Structure formats: structure tokens, C-alpha cells
Amino acid sequence: MEIGIDNFVSQVMDPRTGKTVPSDVRMKQFLAEVVTADRSGVDTFGIGEHHHRHFLDSAPVVILSAAAALTEQIRLRTAVTVLSADDPVRLFEQFATVDLISGGRVEMVLGRGSFTEAFPLFGLDLADYDSLFEEKLGLILQLREDPHPHWSGRHRAPLTGQGVYPRPVQERLPMWIGVGGTPSSFARAGSLGLPLMVGIIGGDPRRYLPLIDLYREAGARAGHPSESLQVGIHCFGFVGDTDQQAADDFWPGYHRTMSTTGRERGMPEPTRARYDAECGADGAFFVGSPETVAGKIVRLAEAVGGLARFTMQMTNAIMAPESMHHAIELLGRKVKPLVHSTVGITTHDVPRNGHPRPISTQSNRRTTT
């Protein structure tokens, strides 16, 4: 099982001064976080995409390119690429270029995003929300296989064999599907035989088991081998020396984010009581000491019948840089070894085609806890 981070380049307030960190300084801080993750043994780092005043990651491929030049081992990806609002040809060329810079460490997690600002920004109609994604997904998958595609659709000019270059280092550029809670999205990923990344922002993660079963069943009906039907889960998380310290450090920034961008999305004002419940044994927040976080990851992997990847959303709007770096180091140097010692994996288990294998001690069938 891979252990990773999915962070957004959000605006951050310095807790010591109460002032917002300047954007250029914040970008340097963020890249330093990726370098720390690389040196600490974290397997993978994802960068979000937002077209919003509270974030600096509207051009994630550019940030990935900088991260690729600064790191050596860590796999780099999006979290997620808002495919519906972009051109698949341009995206493929950009990611192939970053793959060259990184020496074959880049992946795409394709989704529709949880914000809708990109649609009016790029002249797209929200009424085409589903058809845009479905059509563009088909095209980018074709581009992965064919450098001279012949293709036509509703939302883009046709392709008549023009070359799409450069080609990536990896034989097949890894592509995952990022999903929330829509059953059709799980079924589509399974039917296509693509790895699945499930974003969970609250509640008992085990409530997603029927949807993960739906994904695997759809994949099996389509004839895809079980080893290609990989599941990853993404949740809020933060690691500290103790459970209390981790929860106290993460809470102020989490509260600020959910009180601003969360309110814009119609989400209720967060309370400390609800936050603490989510940090508990059955909640969706993996916040605590290395032992607590590792144990919770292992129990979740067992519950869903095996995970290829678990990633933590550690973005925090009020956080001193040294606190974030310490949490990243704890994730790579303590949480990851603890998880691997339990599930029997001690190293990266990702072949060159970018499809992780499930944890060795679990089958792809759901078990109970």
C-alpha cells in the first residue's frame, strides 16, 4: 500500500503574526513541503486544482513541473485534474512533458472537481457537466494509446491523425479516476478498468463500501482483471507526536477553511465537537499520533478488502511551516513503516506502468470488522 499526501496550495496565515503569507512565499513553502515528503519516504504527493481566490493552484501542471525538478523518488500527481474544463490534448502533452522532467514519476487523477468556477471561467455550460467529462475522458484515454488519434466529438474539434507529442517516459501514463459519492462514477471507473481514488470528507468511511463493491463488480463484468481494479482513499489527516497535539494543531486551519470555502459550498459551520468525532475511531479524519493514524489506515484497508493507496489531505490555512514539515516527516518515517509492518509491504509496490498492487495480506473481496 502506498502512503501519500494530497495538498492544495491554499493561502496560509502565519499563526505567530496573524498575517497571510505572501503568495510567492507560500508557493516556495509548498514546494519545500514536497521536498520534505520526498526525503521522508512518502510515496506520492498530489496537488489540487482550484480557480478560486483562496488558492494558488489554478495551474497544477506548472507546480508539478517545479516539484519534479526538486525531487528524486516521490510519485507526483494531481488531486484532481478538472478534466471537464480543460483540453485533453494539451493536458496529455503537458503531463507527458512533466513525466520526462521527473524521469517517469507522474500520474493523473482525473475528475470533475468539487468547485464549479472553472466552467464559466472557460466559457463552458454547466448543463454539459456530465457529457464534457465523459467525452474528454474517452479522448485522453485514447491519447495514451495512440500518438496519431482519429477522433470526433461534441465539445472539441476533431482529430484526424495529427501527432500528439512528446510521449511520456512511462509506457502508459498512469490515470486514476477521482470520485466523490456518485454511484455512476464508481461504475464508470470499474467498466473502464481504471484505478479509483475515493475522496471522503466526512462520516464513517465504511459507508462507501457498497460503492467500492459496485466499482469492482462493474470492472469484473467488463472483463478487467482484479489486479487492475485498484482502490485508493483520500481523507483529511495530520500527524503529531500525540493525538491531542495533532488535533489541536490541525483544528484552527481546518475551521478557517470550512468556515470560508465550506460555507460557499453550502456546508455547515464546523464545530470542535464534530471535528473531534471525525478524528475518532469511526470518523473520516486521520488525525493523531503515528500509532493512531497507522492503526486507523490498516483497519480501513481491511474493511474495504485491500487498498493500493491511502492519501491524507493535510492542507491547513493556519499552520507554521515547521509544524507541517514535522507532520510530513512523521507520515513518511513513522506512519508508513507502521502500516507496512502490519500489511506485509516494505517498499514501493508500483510497477513501471503505474498501477499499484493491492496490499498483500488482503484480497479484493470485502471483509467485515
Side-chain angles (χ1 to χ4, degrees):
M1 188 201 315
E2 288 187 320
I3 302 297
I5 296 170
D6 285 325
N7 273 11
F8 305 154
V9 193
S10 66
Q11 296 280 4
V12 170
M13 177 188 294
D14 187 328
R16 293 161 296 199
T17 66
K19 296 181 179 179
T20 299
V21 176
S23 296
D24 60 332
V25 175
R26 174 64 190 126
M27 187 64 72
K28 291 177 182 177
Q29 289 178 347
F30 182 84
L31 290 171
E33 293 168 13
V34 184
V35 171
T36 294
D38 182 46
R39 294 174 179 173
S40 301
V42 175
D43 293 310
T44 177
F45 203 111
I47 297 173
E49 177 183 344
H50 301 87
H51 303 268
H52 191 282
R53 62 191 177 94
H54 294 300
F55 298 94
L56 307 174
D57 51 16
S58 62
V61 181
V62 178
I63 304 171
L64 285 171
S65 182
L70 293 170
T71 56
E72 297 179 356
Q73 300 294 328
I74 197 165
R75 296 189 67 81
L76 301 167
R77 56 194 163 71
T78 46
V80 299
T81 294
V82 185
L83 179 61
S84 306
D86 215 326
D87 175 39
V89 174
R90 175 59 76 185
L91 274 176
F92 187 88
E93 291 181 336
Q94 290 172 342
F95 274 87
T97 302
V98 180
D99 201 49
L100 299 179
I101 295 170
S102 72
R105 293 185 284 120
V106 168
E107 304 178 2
M108 302 179 74
V109 180
L110 304 167
R112 294 181 285 189
S114 57
F115 292 82
T116 60
E117 289 87 354
F119 285 82
L121 182 64
F122 297 113
L124 301 169
D125 190 341
L126 271 173
D128 296 325
Y129 186 79
D130 292 319
S131 65
L132 279 165
F133 183 76
E134 184 172 1
E135 179 177 296
K136 292 183 178 186
L137 177 60
L139 175 54
I140 203 163
L141 290 173
Q142 184 175 340
L143 296 173
R144 181 169 69 166
E145 310 297 333
D146 186 1
H148 294 279
H150 289 79
W151 176 93
S152 63
R154 286 181 52 206
H155 301 292
R156 189 197 187 282
L159 296 170
T160 57
Q162 301 96 323
V164 179
Y165 293 105
R167 307 306 292 179
V169 173
Q170 298 172 91
E171 183 180 350
R172 300 178 79 233
L173 192 64
M175 297 181 185
W176 294 60
I177 299 294
V179 299
T182 305
S184 60
S185 297
F186 284 78
R188 173 167 48 206
S191 296
L192 293 170
L194 294 172
L196 181 79
M197 178 56 69
V198 186
I200 302 175
I201 62 173
D204 188 336
R206 291 173 295 183
R207 65 192 173 95
Y208 283 81
L209 297 183
L211 293 173
I212 293 172
D213 284 346
L214 174 64
Y215 161 73
R216 289 174 171 149
E217 290 162 3
R221 285 196 302 270
H224 297 294
S226 59
E227 59 267 21
S228 72
L229 301 173
Q230 303 304 303
V231 176
I233 288 181
H234 156 95
C235 295
F236 282 109
F238 192 76
V239 191
D241 295 317
T242 67
D243 290 350
Q244 191 65 50
Q245 179 244 312
D248 289 345
D249 284 355
F250 196 68
W251 163 250
Y254 169 79
H255 179 266
R256 185 186 188 206
T257 296
M258 301 310 291
S259 297
T260 53
T261 58
R263 187 187 305 118
E264 293 172 7
R265 298 169 61 188
M267 301 176 73
E269 182 84 10
T271 65
R272 182 63 194 247
R274 182 59 191 166
Y275 168 82
D276 287 339
E278 292 285 9
C279 294
D282 297 327
F285 295 179
F286 288 67
V287 176
S289 69
E291 294 77 14
T292 294
V293 172
K296 198 168 179 180
I297 292 171
V298 170
R299 290 193 298 274
L300 178 60
E302 292 172 344
V304 302
L307 282 179
R309 175 177 291 171
F310 178 84
T311 66
M312 292 172 57
Q313 171 55 268
M314 299 175 70
T315 305
N316 197 272
I318 305 176
M319 180 68 65
E322 58 269 24
S323 297
M324 180 60 72
H325 285 275
H326 183 56
I328 293 170
E329 290 171 349
L330 289 175
L331 181 66
R333 294 175 180 168
K334 291 194 174 182
V335 173
K336 177 182 166 182
L338 285 168
V339 171
H340 287 175
S341 68
T342 302
V343 301
I345 300 282
T346 58
T347 176
H348 282 231
D349 201 23
V350 183
R352 290 294 291 177
N353 66 5
H355 294 301
R357 302 182 184 95
I359 58 176
S360 62
T361 57
Q362 301 295 333
S363 71
N364 277 340
R365 296 181 59 188
R366 183 172 43 156
T367 59
T368 57
T369 57

